[in-house]
Amino acid sequence: MATGSSSAKSNTLIYHIGAALAVVAWGISFISTRVLLDMGLHPIEIYIYRFTLAYIPLLLFCHKRLLSNSMRDEFLFILCGLFGGSIYFISENVALEYTLVSNVSLITSLSPLLTVLLIGLIYKTDRPGKETYFGSVLAFIGVGLVIFNSSFSLSIKPLGDFLSLLAALCWAVYSIIIKRLNALYSAFFITRKVFFYGVLTALPFLLVEPQITSPAVLLNTSVLLNLLYLSLVCSLFAYMAWTVIVGKIGAVKSSNYMYFQPVVTLLFSFLILGEKISIIGYTGCALILLGVFLADYLTQRRLRRKG
């Protein structure tokens, strides 16, 4: 029995390590996207290049089955492509044009709290307790301070912060939908479908682009390396890992690792981009992290007492 218990804990640990690695990759991804924007690529172009490059190798390994079990499931995959793909990343990429990289990472880390709150609205038996609402209030006050920090400078507009909040909400919706699909399909199949519908639903957004960048930009070494990192590491590896992890340890527990994303981004944006945050911004950052920590910690303590 002890051996079996030890083996189970070891397997669970692997999923937690995978979640941490995925979040580290996503935290650094904001830096790569910022570099690509500075190189002249538009947010929508970055997204389409990124996920097309990730979709091609995935299709080579998973191409025997094209459609899901039902039209209902196919519709859910379209929603995943929208909320976990095109709308999420285009909102996030556009946000990077209007606000600090660290702000985008910090605000999108609210997705775990939003996931818990949405689950409580959808599933009556999983309604969050008072501690979750308390943590949410602290976190949203923190978001307000972060937005004020960026809009305090006349050269930066709060539009980017609100787009970041939209991205966080999209990821919360995606996490809930993917939880249902996990029980029916493999990680390869789910990831491939999400990438396909993500790129497909992003194409109409190209109509609003004022100018399309020449594909020759891909010959630039810096552009190519950053796109390969975003597509192969942040998309192909991290998305597949996340799909498996959500199925194994749940949407809420896996989403908790998103709390560490802003820490990773803050560190690398300071080291690589030289971004700085005011005292107001640091206070907002602290409130967001404190809010999400207290919501999770107090909830777990309440559940242990009941148990």
Side-chain angles (χ1 to χ4, degrees):
M1 291 292 291
T3 302
S5 176
S6 176
S7 177
K9 287 183 178 179
S10 177
N11 290 335
T12 303
L13 179 62
I14 291 173
Y15 301 127
H16 285 281
I17 292 174
L21 291 175
V23 168
V24 168
W26 286 332
I28 299 174
S29 72
F30 293 98
I31 313 295
S32 286
T33 302
R34 178 71 261 177
V35 170
L36 292 173
L37 289 169
D38 291 340
M39 295 293 291
L41 273 77
H42 297 293
I44 300 171
E45 291 177 314
I46 294 172
Y47 171 75
I48 292 176
Y49 279 133
R50 171 180 175 173
F51 281 88
T52 299
L53 286 172
Y55 180 76
I56 293 172
L58 188 59
L59 186 62
L60 296 176
F61 289 99
C62 181
H63 58 271
K64 293 183 179 179
R65 182 182 182 185
L66 295 179
L67 299 176
S68 55
N69 296 335
S70 64
M71 290 302 297
R72 175 185 170 84
D73 286 354
E74 202 69 25
F75 177 69
L76 290 177
F77 278 119
I78 295 174
L79 292 180
C80 284
L82 280 168
F83 291 110
S86 56
I87 296 178
Y88 173 79
F89 280 100
I90 290 173
S91 298
E92 186 179 88
N93 290 354
V94 172
L96 289 168
E97 291 190 312
Y98 292 96
T99 190
L100 300 174
V101 169
S102 50
N103 280 30
V104 178
S105 176
L106 188 62
I107 295 172
T108 53
S109 71
L110 282 173
S111 59
L113 276 180
L114 295 175
T115 301
V116 173
L117 294 174
L118 284 177
I119 288 176
L121 288 173
I122 297 172
Y123 303 103
K124 306 299 183 182
T125 56
D126 290 329
R127 283 183 172 173
K130 293 180 180 179
E131 57 278 339
T132 300
Y133 292 111
F134 174 70
S136 299
V137 170
L138 279 181
F140 279 113
I141 291 174
V143 170
L145 291 177
V146 170
I147 291 173
F148 179 76
N149 166 75
S150 65
S151 59
F152 189 76
S153 170
L154 294 178
S155 62
I156 302 177
K157 300 177 182 179
L159 173 62
D161 297 318
F162 290 113
L163 285 172
S164 302
L165 192 57
L166 172 63
L169 179 61
C170 286
W171 189 261
V173 174
Y174 168 76
S175 297
I176 294 172
I177 298 174
I178 211 74
K179 180 181 178 183
R180 181 190 185 284
L181 295 172
N182 253 315
L184 303 172
Y185 305 97
S186 69
F188 273 105
F189 186 80
I190 292 173
T191 308
R192 196 202 75 203
K193 297 290 281 187
V194 171
F195 286 4
F196 173 77
Y197 283 120
V199 172
L200 189 65
T201 54
L203 293 176
F205 286 95
L206 286 175
L207 298 175
V208 303
E209 284 284 12
Q211 184 179 355
I212 304 300
T213 308
S214 170
V217 72
L218 298 178
L219 298 177
N220 183 296
T221 303
S222 180
V223 170
L224 185 59
L225 289 177
N226 279 284
L227 276 176
L228 287 175
Y229 171 74
L230 289 172
S231 60
L232 300 182
V233 178
C234 301
S235 299
L236 187 58
F237 160 74
Y239 257 76
M240 284 193 59
W242 198 257
T243 300
V244 174
I245 290 160
V246 169
K248 296 295 183 180
I249 65 177
V252 174
K253 284 187 178 180
S254 55
S255 291
N256 286 343
Y257 279 92
M258 297 293 285
Y259 303 160
F260 299 101
Q261 178 179 283
V263 179
V264 175
T265 307
L266 281 170
L267 175 62
F268 282 90
S269 61
F270 172 75
L271 293 175
I272 299 174
L273 302 177
E275 288 190 353
K276 291 181 173 59
I277 301 179
S278 69
I279 295 299
I280 293 175
Y282 279 118
T283 303
C285 176
L287 284 176
I288 290 175
L289 295 177
L290 178 63
V292 293
F293 169 76
L294 285 178
D296 181 62
Y297 173 76
L298 294 176
T299 299
Q300 294 301 321
R301 192 174 69 171
R302 175 172 58 85
L303 293 175
R304 283 196 297 269
R305 284 178 177 176
K306 282 186 176 182

